[in-house]
Amino acid sequence: MKKATRRLVSGMLLGVLVVVSGLGLSFERAWQGSPARLSGRLDLSGLSHSVRIERDRQGIPTIQARNADDAYEALGFVQAQDRFFEMDLLRRVAAGRLAALVGSQALRDDERVRLFRLEAVVRAAYARATPRERARLVAYSRGVNAGLRDMRHRPFAYALLGLRPKPWHPWDSYLVIGAMYLELQDPFDHRSQNLWAMHRWLPPALYRFLTAPGNRWDAPLVGRAWHVPAPPPASVFDLHKLPPGAFAGSVAFKNLARVLPVGGSKLAGSNAFAVAGRFTRTHAALLANDMHLHLALPPIWYRAQIEFRTQRGRIIRLLGVTLPGVPALVVGTNFHVAWGFTNTEGDWADLIRVRPLPGHPNRYRTPHGIRRMMLHPERIEVRGGSSFHITVRDTIWGPVVGRTASGVLLVSRWVGEDLRGYRINAERALERAQNVKQAIAAANRLGIPEQNFVTADRAGNIGWSVAGAIPRRVGDCHPIWPQSWAHGQCRWQGYLKPRSYPRILDPRDGFIWTANQRIVDGRALRLIGDGGYDLGARARQIRNDLKVLPTPITARDLLSIELDDRARYLAHWQKLLTDLLTRALRRGHPRRIALDRIVSHWQACACTGSVGYRLVWKFRKLVFHAVLRPFNRLVRKHDPHFKNPMRAMAEGPVWWLVTHKPPWLLTPREPSWHAFLIDQVDRLIRAEWHPGSGFRRDTWGRHNRIQIANPIAAGIPILGPWLLDLPPTEIPGDSNMPRVETHELGATERLVVDLGDPSRSLFELPGGESGNPASPFYQDEFRAWLLGLPTPLDPGRSRDVLLLKPEKTRQPRPIRAHRISFGNFD
């Protein structure tokens, strides 16, 4: 069916749906009624000088202004017209106001988020912001509201929901940052709860073995790979000697569910790496960054080029991606330096055990005496239902987020609930940075979720540090499990000064790589903490790829690393599987013979057509679960909510067990480790064999299909996914390799900056600039992202020009954001 015909048929069907559902809108108005203004001339209040906005064939804006505030007012204008609904979702997530938009299905998420009262936090942060920072936030919000007012009809999603958009406030940009805190961190610190459960119910030596913080896959920038300690001997712990009731029990913790209303529950992390100038043709450094998050349409990032002058007349030119809702360049370059982010996976929240005084449930002990908890009533509006009321109990450290079975309260001390966590004033210094040292100094002062900050400059220097606030823990603070702070034995004493941050400048080998692994050791690691590092396999593969590149290294070389789907990590599991399938084991078993034939020639990559990779991946999964099951059950006997917190880091202990084969750490029903592993092979065969096609039907691509969806699609029966979502697509890649692609998680962008020749810089985006499905910029960049095509970072030739002019008024009256009228929407 031709595209035009499909759109016409789709339009007619959805038009009928909308009318029948009582929204009172024609499909044409809902679908086509809110295009962005691309050209012409428009007067805007608040501008001090004219601003020129050019758009290329992909709708990427180039904003040219005389000063920064005008530039960011214009950015607010274009982002509101392209992405306001997505901006609104992010601020609602952080404020706990999703249920007012989508109904009771979001009530549970809103209830959890309201415990942290982030809306009150960001308002206080805004009140304490510097005048210069407030000026930028006000200018941006003014541009957002002007962009909304200029639209002929309300944005597409609001038309379908039958709602009107609410104006943007300056502090709403902080709420968007708050949504990213919730996406990237766990304020309930479930990892600590689960580690504490393991420590409490397992022998100490077994706990140390199962929670080993490193293994042979470690790839830190400072220090070496760590070894997995040996498990306890049979005299200390023997699965064969446990009583019959060892795997059944009762509740110990009342754990709260994970709060991740924005993305999925399993974040795959990100990659950022840099190459020193001595390896490049121009002697300028290279930087690559691909951030892996929940994939959605439109993508979370918004491409832009921003140009303005400083008060001293210096031209600032920024190119990269922004986060709609925040007036800043997130990652990219100012043509002197480039920077990228990966999540640190550090320890940014502590759980505190608070025991209320007998007979006084809201009184508790602190180092300064007895205190009374602050009680904050919160009303959660629910669309189509009655409002829901909760009371937040707040202590001097943070809110109460749970309780143990014995009545001890669990309080969260979290950077994301602190005013220091919301600060963009250092963004100004980052925009103006001339070298790596200046960029790192600016990044250390940012108020964002703590990130590995990787940077490079035109002089060939590269560096790493942490962007965001690092708590200064004082006293006898245990880094893992909840403890009491009642007597002052542990506390946060403000935050580290930038001069105390760990930093790496120009490492000897000329490379920096980060992929959510442990970066440092010693004192630097104690400052950052361990919030659950990823297995180092991905980082190790990036490191090894970098070190074998022929010189001069180019931007395309770094893109090839971002797209590397070779199965370096699973290679030892493939060898284990083929070693098990001996000739004697295969004799008389045609299915084992077929399995051996495929696995022996498995292509060694997470390629869409590989059957062998799929089978090795499934074998590892079966072995992992079976090996850890008895230990998990021992803990779950006492805590039914327990989930193993080690995730991929359990690779070290599991591999130790399957290679050393200690009989006392195997369940009694298994005669030997060899028999146990053969049983997993046969389970694999039973699960994956199909009559008629054998193993050939289930390729990796058939399993690894991405479904990039629009958040509003699920609310439109039948037609929503067809019209708004991208079709399910087979894609190469997996989690423990540079090319991370798994169902709904993957590279939300791919960036490579060549500071010596910016025209060779590359970029890929899994979607487009616009959130309007009728726009030609809705998904036009997806194909290049899917195929890994090297497309330029620089915007193309200008196709449309919009001129924003200062509104001519004698005495402009300040307009308070909450009084802005949106009456021109239908």
Side-chain angles (χ1 to χ4, degrees), residues 96-253:
R97 297 186 182 277
L98 273 178
L101 185 71
V102 300
S104 59
Q105 61 191 11
L107 180 58
R108 180 61 175 153
D109 283 334
D110 280 357
E111 184 181 358
R112 297 180 197 133
V113 173
R114 285 289 184 96
L115 293 177
F116 300 94
R117 303 181 66 244
L118 293 186
E119 198 162 17
V121 171
V122 301
R123 285 174 181 259
Y126 176 75
R128 293 182 56 177
T130 65
R132 182 169 283 160
E133 183 167 355
R134 282 201 299 270
R136 176 178 290 201
L137 294 170
V138 167
Y140 179 79
S141 65
R142 191 166 54 230
V144 170
N145 292 319
L148 280 176
R149 280 198 305 266
D150 183 60
M151 300 173 79
R152 288 180 297 165
H153 308 290
R154 60 189 132 177
F156 166 76
Y158 296 100
L160 289 179
L161 290 169
L163 299 173
R164 299 180 185 276
K166 294 186 176 181
W168 194 262
H169 303 95
W171 51 85
D172 287 341
S173 294
Y174 288 155
L175 279 176
V176 174
I177 296 174
M180 297 309 296
Y181 271 107
L182 292 170
E183 174 80 0
L184 297 170
Q185 299 177 7
D186 178 12
F188 293 94
D189 202 6
H190 289 92
R191 182 173 184 272
S192 289
Q193 295 187 46
N194 288 318
L195 286 171
W196 170 244
M198 293 179 71
H199 180 269
R200 187 176 182 185
W201 303 114
L202 296 177
L206 183 60
Y207 169 81
R208 288 193 297 271
F209 171 70
L210 292 176
T211 61
N215 51 60
R216 68 191 184 96
W217 291 100
D218 292 350
L221 296 178
V222 175
R224 298 181 179 181
W226 291 344
H227 297 291
V228 177
S235 59
V236 173
F237 180 83
D238 188 343
L239 282 173
H240 295 76
K241 297 179 179 179
L242 293 179
F247 301 111
S250 58
V251 179
F253 273 106

Side-chain angles (χ1 to χ4, degrees), residues 654-698:
V654 170
W655 188 251
W656 196 100
L657 291 173
V658 300
T659 52
H660 289 77
K661 301 181 175 61
W664 63 92
L665 294 181
L666 192 64
T667 56
R669 70 185 188 89
E670 302 290 349
S672 69
W673 275 96
H674 181 74
F676 165 79
L677 291 172
I678 296 303
D679 183 52
Q680 305 313 310
V681 172
D682 290 338
R683 288 181 62 200
L684 172 68
I685 292 172
R686 289 193 297 270
E688 301 299 322
W689 179 270
H690 300 281
S693 60
F695 296 112
R696 295 288 178 184
R697 192 176 78 177
D698 286 333

Side-chain angles (χ1 to χ4, degrees), residues 542-564:
I542 292 171
R543 179 197 66 188
N544 294 346
D545 285 352
L546 287 169
K547 292 187 175 183
V548 298
L549 286 175
T551 56
I553 298 175
T554 68
R556 292 199 177 202
D557 292 331
L558 298 199
L559 177 63
S560 70
I561 294 177
E562 292 180 316
L563 297 170
D564 184 4

